[in-house]
């Protein structure tokens, strides 16, 4: 909860729109924000997480893997978070990927992806099968996106850093599903961010609406005929929601609204258009209100493109890694795993880094690619050094040969390791995998009974 008063023009607008309901809505904005988390179903089931977690979790109505959490524990600082078992996400944001409903094997684009809440959800719903292209226009935000995708253990993602228009001209209408989680005036952030309140201006809403209109036009150009387009915001302003969708439908006759299927959502409101329109189909779009449902608030519209001829997908062309690099990887695999967890995957060298590349990606010529697939590690002249992303992409079933050091979440040795300290632990020299309750959390390198700390410096922090 913030102590800053809500802007008067915002209050007046919401009173005009909501009438009798405005008091309940404004009272809800005066309460504390909810904390939510979404299970990483690529690593464990929601039931298992619920059984393991030392905090109380109440399921969200619209996302079977998502929960509102309560209690004094801070899940974002727990070792399970470092192991990628869940994503801290406010509950209404979890409705978006569920509405888009990506299917395994599809080619899916998240056009405004950082920091990765929805991109990680899309990959989980696809069982990490198919491709998620997670694009972010702001270079400074791609590191957080990359780190979250790495923690999630996704193998089949590509992170690009491009203007949406560039992607549309390069790729055309090739994606089965496209998500535009648009930059917005952020009124749904008011409960948790004093900055969101301080920055809000009526003119900002107008500016966002124009930008959203343009971004939605571009997003539409990337959807294949018969494909789906999802538009979402975390704001309440009709200018950025119903009005954007109505203007889009007026100029894109080959798209129509489809039901979002979000359980517990209210219909969007055709009466909130700037000029009278006969757009009763807008009720198919959804609004999640903070005074009616457990969440901060979202708008979600799902649009389907009419059938037609698809653009031709030109696949990415990769040069396989040179033999010496592959030989070092194979030596590492033989010493570490019972079988190669990346068998039948194309391995590519980018500088000294070896990557396992997802199959079926569109061509990336000339694009800024932050990461493609999983970075397996670094090729040194005579040795292979595994990357953190490899540890997080492994399943417990991959870990037959490797020396593991499994710790309980409340073992203070784990806390110390995640803070960057070495650990004394007798055993053979070499690479080993540290895990929490069986879930890989980091590599360690044992030498003369000491596990040297290789947990990435950027992730180290005092936990609890
Ligand atoms: N989908 C993200 C998630 O779930 O974690 C949140 C996305 S946030 C609401 C909107 C994103 O759009 C920001 O990362 C912002 O940098 C990006 N953005 C800003 N201007 C943009 C534009 N003109 N086109 C596309 N994306 C833009």
């Amino acid at each position: 909860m913030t102590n800053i008063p809500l802007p008067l023009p915002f209050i007046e607008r919401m009173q005009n729109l909501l009438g009798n309901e405005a008091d309940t809505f404004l009272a809800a904005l005066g309460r504390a924000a909810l904390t939510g988390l979404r299970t990483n179903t690529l690593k464990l089931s929601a039931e298992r997480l619920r059984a393991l977690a030392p905090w109380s979790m109440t399921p969200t109505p619209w996302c079977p893997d998502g929960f509102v959490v309560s209690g004094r524990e801070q899940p974002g600082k727990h070792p399970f978070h470092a192991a990628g078992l869940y994503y801290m996400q406010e509950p209404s944001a979890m409705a978006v990927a569920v509405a888009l409903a990506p299917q395994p094997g599809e080619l899916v684009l998240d056009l405004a992806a950082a920091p990765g809440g929805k991109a990680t959800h899309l990959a989980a719903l696809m069982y990490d099968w198919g491709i998620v292209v997670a694009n972010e226009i702001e270079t400074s935000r791609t590191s957080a996106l990359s780190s979250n995708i790495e923690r999630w253990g996704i193998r089949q993602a590509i992170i690009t850093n491009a203007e949406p228009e560039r992607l549309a001209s390069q790729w055309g209408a090739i994606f089965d599903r496209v998500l535009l989680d648009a930059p917005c005036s952020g009124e749904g952030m008011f409960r948790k961010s004093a900055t969101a309140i301080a920055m809000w201006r009526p003119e900002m809403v107008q500016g966002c609406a124009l930008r959203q209109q343009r971004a939605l036009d571009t997003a539409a150009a990337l959807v294949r005929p018969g494909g789906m387009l999802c538009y979402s915001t975390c704001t309440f302003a009709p200018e950025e929601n119903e009005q954007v969708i109505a203007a889009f439908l007026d100029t894109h006759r080959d798209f129509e609204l489809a039901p979002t299927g979000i359980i517990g959502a209210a219909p969007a409101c055709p009466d909130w258009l700037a000029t009278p329109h006969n757009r009763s189909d807008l009720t198919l779009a959804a609004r999640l209100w903070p005074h009616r449902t457990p969440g901060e608030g979202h708008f979600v519209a799902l649009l389907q493109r009419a059938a037609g001829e698809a653009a031709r997908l030109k696949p990415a062309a990769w040069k396989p890694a040179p033999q010496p690099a592959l030989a070092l990887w194979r030596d590492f695999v033989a010493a570490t795993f019972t079988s190669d967890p990346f068998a039948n995957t194309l391995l590519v060298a980018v500088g000294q880094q070896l990557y396992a590349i997802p199959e079926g990606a569109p061509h990336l010529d000339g694009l800024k690619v932050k990461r493609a697939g999983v970075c397996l590690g670094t090729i040194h002249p005579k040795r292979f050094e595994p990357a953190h992303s490899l540890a997080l992409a492994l399943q417990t079933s991959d870990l037959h040969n490797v020396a593991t050091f499994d710790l309980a979440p409340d073992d203070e040795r784990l806390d110390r390791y995640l803070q960057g300290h070495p650990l004394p632990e007798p055993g053979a020299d070499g690479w080993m995998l540290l895990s929490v309750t069986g879930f890989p959390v980091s590599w360690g390198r044992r030498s003369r009974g000491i596990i040297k700390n290789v947990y990435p410096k950027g992730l180290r922090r005092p936990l609890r």
Side-chain angles (χ1 to χ4, degrees), residues 322-342:
Q323 280 308 324
L326 295 177
L328 283 173
W329 163 249
R330 280 196 294 269
D331 290 349
F332 178 78
V333 167
T336 314
F337 307 113
T338 306
S339 60
D340 184 348
F342 289 86

Side-chain angles (χ1 to χ4, degrees), residues 81-419:
H81 185 264
L85 302 197
Y86 47 83
Y87 192 101
M88 301 305 300
Q89 187 176 40
E90 76 82 11
S92 50
M94 300 172 191
V96 177
V98 173
L100 185 55
Q103 301 299 304
E106 286 187 335
L107 182 59
V108 174
L109 171 65
D110 183 350
L111 203 49
K118 281 137 196 155
T120 52
H121 198 179
L122 294 168
L125 292 172
M126 293 162 70
Y127 304 96
D128 201 13
W129 178 23
I131 300 247
V132 174
V133 176
N135 180 66
E136 171 55 44
I137 192 170
E138 296 285 347
T139 306
S140 62
R141 289 170 63 84
T142 56
S143 295
L145 173 60
S146 183
S147 169
N148 281 324
I149 284 192
E150 169 174 286
R151 203 170 50 79
W152 210 243
I154 303 173
R155 296 178 178 209
Q156 295 290 110
I158 298 203
I159 302 179
T160 54
N161 172 208
E163 293 193 355
E165 295 77 10
R166 169 71 206 273
L167 299 183
S169 66
Q170 174 138 344
W171 289 331
I174 59 167
F175 287 91
D176 295 301
R177 289 169 211 258
V178 174
L179 169 61
L180 175 62
D181 187 33
C184 68
S185 58
E187 294 161 4
M189 307 274 285
F190 281 178
R191 284 212 289 211
K192 57 180 176 192
S193 164
T195 316
I197 300 179
M199 282 174 57
W200 187 93
R201 300 275 179 284
E203 311 81 63
M204 182 187 186
V205 170
Q206 302 303 334
C208 285
L210 281 175
R211 196 158 54 146
Q212 288 151 350
Q213 202 71 72
R214 278 199 300 271
L216 189 56
D217 286 350
T218 309
L222 287 149
V223 180
R224 70 156 168 81
M228 306 300 291
L229 170 61
C230 186
Y231 173 82
S232 58
T233 73
C234 65
T235 206
F236 305 112
E239 293 88 334
E240 299 180 56
N241 295 321
E242 283 86 349
Q243 294 179 22
V244 168
I245 298 301
F248 175 81
L249 289 168
D250 283 350
T251 51
H252 295 76
R253 297 298 160 113
D254 53 339
F255 280 85
E256 63 179 14
L257 279 160
T260 64
I262 301 172
I263 296 168
C269 194
D271 296 343
W272 293 348
L273 297 181
T275 52
H277 255 66
N278 182 15
R279 279 253 77 112
S280 56
D281 54 343
L282 271 178
T283 55
L284 290 170
R287 276 184 172 268
L288 287 162
W289 292 103
H291 60 296
R292 292 197 193 177
T293 51
E296 301 309 298
H298 246 73
F299 174 88
V300 186
L302 188 62
L303 298 142
Q304 178 155 33
R305 188 168 203 171
E309 202 175 321
R312 202 179 66 84
L313 186 140
K314 179 178 158 205
W318 304 97
K319 206 166 110 207
Q323 280 308 324
L326 295 177
L328 283 173
W329 163 249
R330 280 196 294 269
D331 290 349
F332 178 78
V333 167
T336 314
F337 307 113
T338 306
S339 60
D340 184 348
F342 289 86
N344 305 321
T345 310
L346 175 67
L347 304 188
V348 163
V350 181
Q352 274 188 284
Q353 314 287 102
L354 189 67
Y355 281 83
I357 299 292
E359 211 177 300
H363 74 100
L364 301 163
D365 315 354
L367 288 178
K368 258 163 85 183
V369 178
K370 175 82 180 174
R371 77 189 276 146
V374 177
C375 179
L376 302 177
T378 309
I379 307 289
H380 293 289
K382 288 200 169 142
R383 67 189 169 85
F384 178 82
E385 186 182 325
H388 185 63
S389 47
L390 172 59
L392 279 265
L394 294 171
Q395 301 289 328
T396 318
S397 55
D398 295 323
L399 312 181
H400 299 301
N401 262 0
V402 64
T404 49
F405 188 29
D406 190 43
L407 292 161
D410 56 359
D411 190 319
E412 63 88 29
R413 289 174 297 175
L414 182 58
D415 245 4
R416 286 178 54 70
Y417 194 82
L418 295 178
Q419 287 168 23

